[in-house]
Amino acid sequence: MPTATQTIEQLANRQYRYGFVTDIEAESVPAGLNEDIIRLISAKKREPEWLLEWRLKSYRHWLTMEEPKWANVHYPPIDFQSIVYYSAPKQKKDRPKSIDEVDPKLLETYKKLGIPLHEQAALAGVAVDAVFDSVSVATTFKEKLASLGIIFCSFSEAVREHPELVRKYLGSVVPYSDNFYATLNSAVFSDGSFVYVPKGVRCPMELSTYFRINAASTGQFERTLIVADEGAYVSYLEGCTAPMRDENQLHAAVVELVALDNATIKYSTIQNWYPGDEEGRGGIYNFVTKRGKCQGKNSHISWTQVETGSAITWKYPSCILIGDNSVGEFYSVALTNHRQQADTGTKMIHIGKNTRSTIVSKGISAGFGQNTYRGMVKINAGAEKARNFTQCDSLLLGDKCGAHTFPYIEVKNSTARMEHEASTSKIGEDQIFYCNQRGISTEDAVNMIVNGFCRQVFKELPMEFAVEAQKLLAVSLEGSVG
Amino acid sequence: MLEIRNLHANVDGHEILRGVNLTVKAGEVHSIMGPNGSGKSTLAQVLAGNETYEVTEGEVLLNGRNLLELAPEARAAEGVFLAFQYPVEIPGITGSYFLRQALNSVRRYRGEEELDAVDFLKMIRERLKLVQMDDRLLNRSVNEGFSGGEKKRNEILQMAVLEPRLAILDETDSGLDIDALRIVADGVNRLRSPERAMIVVTHYQRLLNYIVPDFVHVLVNGRIVRSGGKELALELEEKGYTWVEKESARAELAGAR
C-alpha cells in the first residue's frame, strides 16, 4: 500500500487542460531581434513615430544590459535570436469591426477555454479583452463601458485612438530602462489592454484580459496600462494559458497601474501558463514586471495573484506609495509542482505619509517544485507613520520540494511600524489519516487543506473568480489515488 | 459485529500484535486494558486502517465484511470511528467545515443525500449539547490551540455527528481533569445504543468508573491474556499489571514447551 506521502505526490500530478493548439494561419515576423524587426512590428501596427522612437531607444538600451542572475531559479541561457517577436492570426479584413467578423476558429478557441466572447453568452458582469499571441482579437462590452466614459480596449487601439493618454502614462511607472525584461518588452511589445476610468466613475463590471499563447517559438510581450483618475474604481483580472510544447516559450509582460487621488485599482491574476511536463520539459518562462503607482492621496492599489502555471515564474507586483494615506496590498498564492520554479513576491515603497501596505504570501510546493518568496518593504525618510504587515506562509507537499523566503526591509523613518510573520508547514501523514478516518478521501483532504491554507488570498479575488481559482488549484493537484 | 481473528501486525519490522482474538457484538462495550507498550493503541490504529502498521496475519470482519481490504475512509463510511489519543490539528479548516465534509463524504458512500449547510447547522447545534461544547470552537481551525479537554470533547462530538457502528476510544481519558472526564464520559454514555458497539482502550481503571464496560480484556505483549467482566478492571487496579504479565510469561513458556 502506498504511504500518504506517496499518495500526496500522486495527487500533485497535474493534468493540464488547456494544452491544445489552434490550427490557424498566422502572420509572423522572422525569428530574431534587430532594429529592422522592431521597425517591422511598429509598421505592422501603423504606429506613430514617437512610439517607434521609444521602442528603438529601449532596444538600444537593452543591448547594454545583462540578464539578471540573482533570482533563485535555474534554466539554460535563452537564445533571444531564436524567438519570434510577433505572430498574429491572419484576418481577412484589416481589423474586425464586430465580434461577427472575428475568425470562428478564434471564437471557438476562447469558448474551449471557458471564455465566450459573444456578448449574449459572455460572463455576466465581466468585460473581456482577448489577446491571442501578439494581438487583441476581440473586446466585449466596449460600447457599454464607453457610455460611462470608460476606455477599455487593446493597447494598439489605444495608441491610435487615445495617443495623448498613452503618451502621458506609458513608461511612467515602469520606465523603459527599468530592467532587462521590461526593457526588452518596451522594445518589442505587441499588444495588451488599456483601461482608463475617468474622474469619479466606479466601473460597474469586472474588466479582464485573457492571454493566450498559440504559435510555436513565439514569445508573448504584452503591455497593460490601467489609469484610474480621481475617485475612480476599477477591478481588473487577467487569465493566461498556453499549448503544451516541449520547448520553452518566453512571456515577458509589463503592467503599469496609475491611481490618482482617492482612486482604487484591484488587479487580480490567475496565471495558468503551461508548466512543462513532469520532467521539466517545456513550459513558459514567465518573466513579468508589474508595478502600480499610488500617485494620489488616499489612493489604493491591490494585487491578488494565483500562480499555478509556468515552468519559471519571476515576478514582483509592486506598489509605489507616493500619495499620503495611500494603501498597497499584495495577496499571493503560488504553487510549484514537478520541476516548476517560482521566485515571486512584491515591493512596497513607502514615500508618502501614513502610507500602509499589507503582504500576504502563500507558497505551496509539491513534487520537486521550488518556491521562493522575495519581498522588499522600503520606508523612505519622509514616510511618517508608515505601516507594513507581512505574512509569508509556505506549505510543503512531500519531501523533495523546497520553500525559501527572502524578505528585505529598509526603514529610514523611526515612526514606521513593521510586522513580519512567517511559517512553514507540511501536510502530514497524520493529518491525512485523521481526515481519512473521518471518511474524507486523501484527494479531498489535500484539496481541503490547501484551500484552507489559501483562503485568506482567495477571499480577495472577485467573486466570479474565487470559485475558478479554487477549481484550478484542485485541478493542479489532481491525479489518481493509489 | 466485529470479529478479530489471530491478528498480527508490525511497525518498522517489530511485531507488536501477536495474535489478537476478539469478538464484539452490537450493543456491547469492551474495554482493552494493558501496560504501556502492550499494543493497545496499535490495535486501535490497525482497526482504523493506519498504513504505518503492517498487518502480517489474521483477519478482521465487520458485519462479515473483510475490514483489512478497505481504505481508511471506506472503513469510516462502513461505520468505524476512532477517537484519537492525540487528535491532530488542521490549520485553516474550521471545525464545522471539516465535520460537514466528513459527514457528507460518509453519506455519499452510503448513497444518502448530502446535508446542506442549514440542515447541518441544526443537527450540529443539538449534538453540541451532548458534549457541552461551545459552538465557537467549531468556527476555529480543527483542534488548533485547543486544550486537552477541548480536543477530546471535539472527538466525541465528531462521533456524535458521524454515528458510527463501531466506536474505538483510544485513551480518551488521558490529559483530562476530573470535570472534563465526567463530561466526556457522559457524552459517550449517551451514545451507547443497542446498535452500536464500543471498544474503550485505557491504561487506567479510572475511566471505567464512568464508562462501565460489559467486558474487560487485558492485552500484554500483543496478545489478550485475560478476559472477564467489569470486576477484572478492579482486580487489575488492585494487583497491578505485573500480576498478569507474570501469568502471561508463564503461559508463553508453557506454550513454547
Side-chain angles (χ1 to χ4, degrees), chain A residues 127-139:
Chain A
V128 180
D129 183 21
V131 176
F132 192 85
D133 289 330
S134 305
V135 292
S136 164
V137 293
T139 310

Side-chain angles (χ1 to χ4, degrees), chain A residues 160-421:
Chain A
R160 283 194 304 270
E161 311 286 329
H162 311 282
E164 69 299 338
L165 282 172
V166 175
R167 220 173 159 172
K168 183 169 175 191
Y169 291 107
L170 176 71
S172 71
V173 186
V174 180
Y176 75 92
S177 56
D178 193 80
N179 71 71
F180 187 82
Y181 292 107
T183 303
L184 175 63
N185 174 289
S186 301
V188 301
F189 76 90
S190 38
D191 217 335
S193 302
F194 177 80
V195 177
Y196 173 79
V197 187
K199 262 183 207 175
V201 172
R202 193 184 162 87
C203 183
M205 47 172 63
E206 300 288 336
L207 304 185
S208 92
T209 303
Y210 196 94
F211 294 102
R212 174 77 177 166
I213 295 178
N214 187 61
S217 317
T218 302
Q220 193 177 54
F221 305 90
E222 86 276 1
R223 207 155 173 120
T224 300
L225 176 56
I226 299 177
V227 180
D229 213 323
E230 290 171 25
Y233 168 92
V234 62
S235 171
Y236 177 93
L237 181 121
E238 60 172 4
C240 352
T241 58
M244 290 155 80
R245 293 188 202 283
D246 279 347
E247 81 271 23
N248 297 102
Q249 282 179 279
L250 179 62
H251 172 253
V254 171
V255 175
E256 295 179 281
L257 311 182
V258 180
L260 303 183
D261 285 358
N262 303 306
T264 298
I265 302 175
K266 268 179 85 78
Y267 193 105
S268 312
T269 303
I270 294 184
Q271 187 262 103
N272 190 22
W273 294 119
Y274 177 53
D277 68 8
E278 282 172 46
E279 307 300 323
R281 273 186 303 258
I284 303 292
Y285 291 162
N286 190 35
F287 300 158
V288 173
T289 304
K290 291 183 171 176
R291 198 173 300 154
K293 188 156 81 170
C294 281
Q295 195 169 308
K297 283 177 202 146
N298 308 313
S299 55
H300 187 156
I301 289 180
S302 178
W303 299 98
T304 305
Q305 59 173 23
V306 177
E307 305 277 322
T308 61
S310 298
I312 300 177
T313 296
W314 179 98
K315 64 180 273 200
Y316 314 90
S318 303
C319 297
I320 306 173
L321 305 169
I322 298 171
D324 290 348
N325 309 314
S326 59
V327 177
E329 291 169 321
F330 174 74
Y331 299 96
S332 168
V333 167
L335 180 138
T336 52
N337 192 11
H338 300 317
R339 307 277 170 175
Q340 276 179 282
Q341 309 171 61
D343 191 315
T344 183
T346 184
K347 281 192 275 187
M348 294 289 173
I349 314 292
H350 292 252
I351 297 169
K353 295 186 180 71
N354 296 313
T355 45
R356 282 170 289 148
S357 61
T358 303
I359 299 171
V360 176
S361 161
K362 304 276 183 177
I364 303 160
S365 316
F368 292 89
Q370 293 296 326
N371 211 317
T372 300
Y373 167 80
R374 187 185 303 275
M376 173 184 252
V377 180
K378 192 168 170 182
I379 313 282
N380 278 16
E384 286 289 315
K385 295 190 175 156
R387 284 196 320 223
N388 164 262
F389 171 78
T390 300
Q391 181 185 347
C392 303
D393 297 321
S394 305
L395 184 68
L396 302 171
L397 285 75
D399 49 12
K400 295 178 205 75
C401 50
H404 317 269
T405 306
F406 301 106
Y408 302 83
I409 297 172
E410 214 180 297
V411 181
K412 292 192 177 134
N413 185 308
S414 61
T415 62
R417 237 171 62 199
M418 317 284 291
E419 285 176 73
H420 187 100
E421 288 177 13

Side-chain angles (χ1 to χ4, degrees), chain A residues 434-441 444, chain B residues 71-82 97-115 120 123 158-166 196:
Chain A
Y434 190 75
C435 294
N436 288 161
Q437 210 302 303
R438 299 300 185 247
I440 302 168
S441 71
D444 288 348
Chain B
E73 61 268 30
R75 297 185 198 195
E78 290 285 338
V80 176
F81 180 90
L82 171 63
Y97 185 80
F98 177 78
L99 256 181
R100 190 148 79 90
Q101 285 290 105
L103 181 65
N104 282 335
S105 297
V106 166
R107 290 179 75 102
R108 261 200 309 274
Y109 179 94
R110 294 176 186 159
E112 295 165 5
E113 223 173 282
E114 295 183 30
L115 283 192
F120 176 76
M123 180 227 210
Q158 294 184 28
M159 173 172 151
V161 170
L162 295 174
E163 303 182 304
R165 289 199 264 184
L166 171 69
R196 181 171 296 142

Side-chain angles (χ1 to χ4, degrees), chain B residues 21 28 37 47 63 66 68 76 82 100 102 111 140 245 250:
Chain B
N21 292 290
E28 293 176 350
L47 291 178
N63 295 321
N66 181 0
L68 297 179
L82 171 63
R100 190 148 79 90
R140 283 171 45 186
E245 272 172 327
R250 259 203 300 280

